[in-house]
Amino acid sequence: MKSESGTASLGRFDFACGDEIESLEVAYEAYGEFNGDNAVLLCHALTGSQNVAGYTDEETDGQARAWWNDIVGPGKAIDTTEYYVVCANVPGSCYGTTGPASTDPEGEVYATDFPPVTVQDWTRAQRQVLDTLGVGRLHAVAGGSVGGMNALDWARQYPDDAECIIAVAAAPRLDAQSLALDAIARRAITTDPNWNDGDYYDAETTPTDGLAIARQIGHVMYLSKSSMQQKFARRAAGRDARRDSFPVDPAAAFFPYRDVESYLDYQAEKFVDRFDPNSYLYLTRAMDDYDLAEGYEDDARAIAAFEGETLLISFTGDWHFTTEQSEALAEAFRSVSTPVAHHVIESDHGHDAFLVEPDKVGPPLRDFLADGINGRAVHDTADSNADNDSGFAPVHASLFSQ
Amino acid sequence: MKSESGTASLGRFDFACGDEIESLEVAYEAYGEFNGDNAVLLCHALTGSQNVAGYTDEETDGQARAWWNDIVGPGKAIDTTEYYVVCANVPGSCYGTTGPASTDPEGEVYATDFPPVTVQDWTRAQRQVLDTLGVGRLHAVAGGSVGGMNALDWARQYPDDAECIIAVAAAPRLDAQSLALDAIARRAITTDPNWNDGDYYDAETTPTDGLAIARQIGHVMYLSKSSMQQKFARRAAGRDARRDSFPVDPAAAFFPYRDVESYLDYQAEKFVDRFDPNSYLYLTRAMDDYDLAEGYEDDARAIAAFEGETLLISFTGDWHFTTEQSEALAEAFRSVSTPVAHHVIESDHGHDAFLVEPDKVGPPLRDFLADGINGRAVHDTADSNADNDSGFAPVHASLFSQ
């Protein structure tokens, strides 16, 4: 697969908050060849990176690398022999794009002097990266989770720039429960004394405990209740090796160190090695802040100027971004006669399904990119509602089954 | 209402873990008059206390006081003019019963030298308190949440000692998701440097940040997704006063301090004033450890010796202790022909419904105490299943509705 990895120097960048930085660098990767009308922009999730695919023989390292390797590549659902696929690391992140861990023109680490970022900033930075690559109008913008919010933002901010939008496991805005859990996760970081008001880049110790707890909260949000039960139940861990990941008191030794703890501790350990704590604060706030209807009366009016087609994919086991949220959004598209298909996938994998169910996600993506909402594998709740009065409701039984 | 508040000195107490302490003091309260066969033992929830009722003009302070004031009292569902109601603070807690914050016979604070406690220890301590009060056989043992697990433990440990058991919003054991969230909450406490290996009782600073985060995680578990959305949505808080409850970086100021954060911060602030961080570690571990089937082949065999009647009450919006878990337990009772009714209450209040829905919880409690599973207001899923093939499944729609 032909691929290109680079950094676009965008110069001065004005953030939506009113602040600016002198020089925004955006790391991106591109796969395939541009032929003028085959560009697909992919938007990564919260802790993802620009590296969408290509590391076939290596561990994917939890979204840091090759997060859609099963979906994107030659002959895959997003076929890089057909499409020119671009993904850019968002401003505020830590995979090569300027963020809190970067240095300012004077050589000082920004830390928490970095301007607050929003999803709107991400979209605008992506637009500018595409300009440097000579890409004007896109065939599609696609993304999962907050990357799906980012894709939806394209329909609002640049309604003429994409033929179609794909938002997987996304929502027009977070609900109160998700806002609460994100806020608690941030508290875990900022109460870690090693956070030190965000100034830890030259310190010997960094707020790894706080970031680990934040990640563990997130991890539970991304899994479904029943998939956790099936995967871990109440089993003790095979090895106690990771039991000392966090401080414990002597009384803890009487109780098993459970498989589910060992898993979360292992995942957190990997995560703190790859992610910047300040970036976690910045990016979760961008996600929390995102509201498709902001500045408009409602979601329908926010996307009314977009005349392309939209595919929404949701997962029945996702309690973070629910099927109901995607359905409400589909209704908003329908109400302004914007062609939309809301494709519901039965999956017990929770929010993570958009990463780990390529066999179910791939076909509707492939067929939508080729034929829009009339694509063969693309299903729409509006059709199933016509067949069946109960619509997609029954799918939720799986959420709480044991 | 006649009420009595006291401390039972139980002397040396051998814990299930094999350790012992020289002197276990158990704080209890009792309401009404004992007439030989009218005793009802109530088991409090995780952070509850022995004070079940009676503070009608005061704030209930989140389970610390008068946690079932709407249910227990003269003329109420558990009528103290009819029943002699006893509640004891569990070993390991911090409301007068010996726990980590108590001093040992040498005058040293136990801290984390306190033996690990289990629900079985709670049950045995309650048995001994009742002995000191002259109460042999109980009319009923009732409890909510982990208090319901405690009540179920009576059926296993003292099957001849109670005529009936009531477990509200309970389960025979926690599932992987709840175990995970409890474990993360404990990590928040033990990574707080002020926890200091549990030795903070003489310190100027205590691990309040860690305990606050632990409580906030718990709080989200106790509410339903839709009730949080209805109560808070994405609203900004009316006042920013509590915004500095936790450290924040300057970039945070660009974003709203939300109502849901303000609520969680306020609740956490109240909680850290009333609860001991080490007790939170000890009691959550007791809850996590509880498994009704432990030592038996399954739940049915664990309660086979109990010949009384059992009422299980569950709530449709409870994602912490689910209706499915109660139904599976009801099936276990049915399989050994132990009379049981599983009464499902439609409520959007999540796990907290057992505290905040007295109008729905009271009638089945009252009628079950009077007439057992044939009580007028007591419904059983087995009956509704007979009427209706879909059983209680439709109730879950409310969990994820917006």
Side-chain angles (χ1 to χ4, degrees):
Chain A
M1 165 170 58
K2 188 191 168 203
S3 73
E4 177 195 345
S5 164
T7 303
S9 297
L10 302 181
R12 176 185 160 125
F13 191 83
D14 295 297
F15 289 85
C17 64
D19 297 345
E20 79 283 328
I21 61 173
E22 280 314 302
S23 165
L24 177 65
E25 308 277 309
V26 177
Y28 68 89
E29 298 206 8
Y31 312 85
E33 304 225 33
F34 184 47
N35 69 9
D37 63 4
N38 69 336
V40 174
L41 174 71
L42 296 185
C43 305
H44 66 70
L46 192 68
T47 66
S49 79
Q50 66 279 20
N51 182 246
V52 177
Y55 287 75
T56 47
D57 295 330
E58 298 183 45
E59 197 179 15
T60 58
D61 201 16
Q63 296 185 42
R65 285 200 300 203
W67 52 272
W68 244 8
N69 205 39
D70 293 325
I71 295 286
V72 176
K76 296 183 183 172
I78 300 179
D79 190 340
T80 50
T81 64
E82 195 166 340
Y83 299 105
Y84 177 61
V85 175
V86 179
C87 184
N89 188 218
V90 301
S93 184
C94 51
Y95 290 110
T97 292
T98 314
S102 308
T103 47
D104 65 18
E106 280 78 50
E108 299 276 322
V109 179
Y110 283 107
T112 58
D113 287 335
F114 196 76
V117 296
T118 63
V119 174
Q120 293 93 309
D121 295 321
W122 302 352
T123 304
R124 212 148 34 79
Q126 288 158 340
R127 177 63 272 172
Q128 294 180 23
V129 170
L130 293 169
D131 290 342
T132 68
L133 295 173
V135 175
R137 187 169 161 84
L138 291 154
H139 177 60
V141 183
S145 191
V146 69
M149 292 170 142
N150 190 169
L152 291 167
D153 193 53
W154 271 82
R156 177 175 67 173
Q157 205 173 155
Y158 300 111
D160 300 325
D161 284 11
E163 277 173 58
C164 57
I165 300 287
I166 302 170
V168 186
R173 67 196 59 78
L174 290 191
D175 72 0
Q177 187 188 56
S178 296
L179 291 171
L181 289 167
D182 283 349
I184 297 168
R186 284 191 296 271
R187 282 155 174 66
I189 294 171
T190 63
T191 56
D192 185 325
N194 293 328
W195 180 63
N196 190 33
D197 286 324
D199 182 14
Y200 52 77
Y201 295 100
D202 293 328
E204 275 181 35
T205 50
T206 60
T208 50
D209 281 346
L211 183 61
I213 289 169
R215 176 62 171 185
Q216 295 190 340
I217 293 170
H219 215 109
V220 174
M221 295 170 80
Y222 307 149
L223 303 175
S224 76
K225 192 173 185 70
S226 57
S227 69
M228 290 188 78
Q229 181 65 8
Q230 282 158 32
K231 192 166 181 176
F232 307 111
R234 296 170 52 82
R235 267 194 320 277
R239 292 180 308 167
D240 263 11
R242 209 159 274 104
R243 190 167 195 144
D244 55 2
S245 300
F246 293 89
V248 286
D249 55 299
F254 177 67
F255 302 98
Y257 176 66
R258 294 187 195 277
D259 213 18
V260 68
E261 296 180 82
S262 171
Y263 174 80
L264 291 173
D265 289 343
Y266 172 67
Q267 295 294 337
E269 201 175 278
K270 283 203 308 181
F271 183 68
V272 301
D273 281 345
R274 76 171 175 92
F275 213 76
D276 175 51
N278 282 336
S279 282
Y280 202 81
L281 301 177
Y282 275 71
L283 300 191
T284 57
R285 283 194 301 242
M287 176 166 66
D288 291 2
D289 179 63
Y290 183 72
D291 184 348
L292 178 60
E294 192 185 334
Y296 295 86
E297 211 165 310
D298 52 31
D299 293 339
R301 286 179 181 82
I303 49 89
F306 173 65
E307 294 183 337
E309 301 200 342
T310 299
L311 172 65
L312 306 176
I313 296 181
S314 70
F315 301 93
T316 56
D318 186 351
W319 61 282
H320 190 29
F321 292 82
T322 66
T323 288
E324 284 85 350
Q325 286 172 311
S326 281
E327 181 60 15
L329 184 58
E331 285 295 333
F333 277 91
R334 288 171 194 140
S335 75
V336 289
S337 301
T338 296
V340 67
H342 176 203
H343 183 103
V344 176
I345 292 176
E346 283 269 357
S347 169
D348 201 33
H349 278 95
H351 187 58
D352 268 356
F354 87 92
L355 296 170
V356 300
E357 293 263 35
D359 292 346
K360 294 179 179 173
V361 174
L365 285 182
R366 177 195 304 265
D367 291 356
F368 179 77
L369 285 174
D371 303 312
I373 59 172
N374 296 317
R376 204 170 58 86
V378 176
H379 301 130
D380 182 21
T381 48
D383 297 336
S384 52
N385 285 340
D387 297 345
N388 170 6
D389 269 352
S390 66
F392 58 90
V395 298
H396 299 290
S398 65
L399 274 169
F400 285 80
S401 60
Q402 296 298 303
Chain B
M1 162 171 63
K2 188 189 169 205
S3 73
E4 176 194 347
S5 163
T7 303
S9 297
L10 302 182
R12 175 185 161 125
F13 190 84
D14 295 297
F15 289 83
C17 64
D19 297 344
E20 79 281 328
I21 61 172
E22 280 315 301
S23 165
L24 177 65
E25 308 276 310
V26 177
Y28 68 90
E29 297 207 9
Y31 311 85
E33 303 226 35
F34 185 47
N35 69 10
D37 63 5
N38 69 337
V40 173
L41 175 70
L42 296 185
C43 305
H44 66 71
L46 192 68
T47 66
S49 79
Q50 65 279 19
N51 181 248
V52 176
Y55 286 76
T56 46
D57 295 329
E58 299 183 44
E59 195 179 16
T60 57
D61 202 17
Q63 295 185 42
R65 286 201 299 204
W67 52 272
W68 245 7
N69 205 42
D70 292 325
I71 294 285
V72 176
K76 297 184 183 171
I78 301 179
D79 189 340
T80 51
T81 64
E82 196 166 339
Y83 299 104
Y84 177 62
V85 175
V86 179
C87 185
N89 187 219
V90 300
S93 184
C94 52
Y95 290 111
T97 292
T98 314
S102 308
T103 47
D104 65 18
E106 279 79 50
E108 299 277 323
V109 179
Y110 282 106
T112 58
D113 288 336
F114 196 77
V117 297
T118 62
V119 173
Q120 294 92 310
D121 295 320
W122 301 352
T123 305
R124 211 148 36 76
Q126 287 158 340
R127 178 62 272 172
Q128 294 179 25
V129 169
L130 292 170
D131 290 343
T132 68
L133 295 174
V135 176
R137 187 171 161 84
L138 291 154
H139 178 59
V141 183
S145 189
V146 70
M149 292 171 142
N150 189 170
L152 291 168
D153 193 53
W154 271 82
R156 177 175 67 174
Q157 205 174 155
Y158 301 111
D160 300 326
D161 284 11
E163 276 173 59
C164 57
I165 300 287
I166 301 170
V168 186
R173 66 195 63 76
L174 291 191
D175 71 1
Q177 188 188 55
S178 296
L179 292 170
L181 290 166
D182 284 350
I184 297 168
R186 285 192 294 274
R187 282 156 175 66
I189 294 170
T190 64
T191 56
D192 185 326
N194 294 328
W195 180 62
N196 189 30
D197 285 325
D199 182 15
Y200 52 77
Y201 295 100
D202 294 327
E204 275 179 35
T205 50
T206 60
T208 50
D209 280 345
L211 184 61
I213 289 170
R215 177 61 170 184
Q216 296 191 337
I217 293 170
H219 214 108
V220 174
M221 295 169 81
Y222 307 148
L223 303 174
S224 75
K225 192 173 185 71
S226 58
S227 68
M228 290 188 78
Q229 182 63 8
Q230 282 158 31
K231 192 165 180 176
F232 308 110
R234 296 171 53 82
R235 266 195 319 278
R239 293 181 306 166
D240 262 11
R242 209 161 274 105
R243 191 168 193 143
D244 57 2
S245 300
F246 293 89
V248 286
D249 55 299
F254 176 66
F255 302 99
Y257 177 66
R258 295 186 194 277
D259 213 18
V260 67
E261 295 180 83
S262 171
Y263 175 81
L264 290 173
D265 289 344
Y266 172 66
Q267 295 295 338
E269 202 176 275
K270 284 203 308 181
F271 183 68
V272 300
D273 281 345
R274 76 173 176 89
F275 212 77
D276 176 51
N278 282 335
S279 281
Y280 202 81
L281 300 178
Y282 276 72
L283 300 191
T284 57
R285 281 194 301 243
M287 175 165 68
D288 291 2
D289 180 63
Y290 183 73
D291 184 347
L292 178 61
E294 191 185 334
Y296 294 86
E297 213 166 308
D298 53 30
D299 293 339
R301 287 180 179 82
I303 50 88
F306 173 64
E307 294 183 338
E309 301 199 344
T310 299
L311 173 64
L312 306 176
I313 296 181
S314 70
F315 301 93
T316 56
D318 186 351
W319 61 283
H320 190 29
F321 292 83
T322 66
T323 289
E324 284 85 350
Q325 286 172 311
S326 281
E327 181 61 15
L329 185 58
E331 285 295 332
F333 277 92
R334 288 169 193 143
S335 74
V336 289
S337 301
T338 297
V340 66
H342 175 205
H343 184 103
V344 176
I345 292 176
E346 283 270 356
S347 167
D348 201 34
H349 278 97
H351 187 58
D352 267 357
F354 87 92
L355 296 169
V356 300
E357 293 265 36
D359 292 347
K360 294 178 179 174
V361 173
L365 284 182
R366 176 196 304 265
D367 291 357
F368 178 77
L369 285 174
D371 304 311
I373 58 171
N374 297 317
R376 203 171 57 88
V378 177
H379 301 131
D380 183 20
T381 48
D383 297 336
S384 52
N385 284 340
D387 296 345
N388 171 4
D389 268 352
S390 67
F392 58 92
V395 297
H396 300 290
S398 64
L399 273 168
F400 285 79
S401 61
Q402 295 297 307

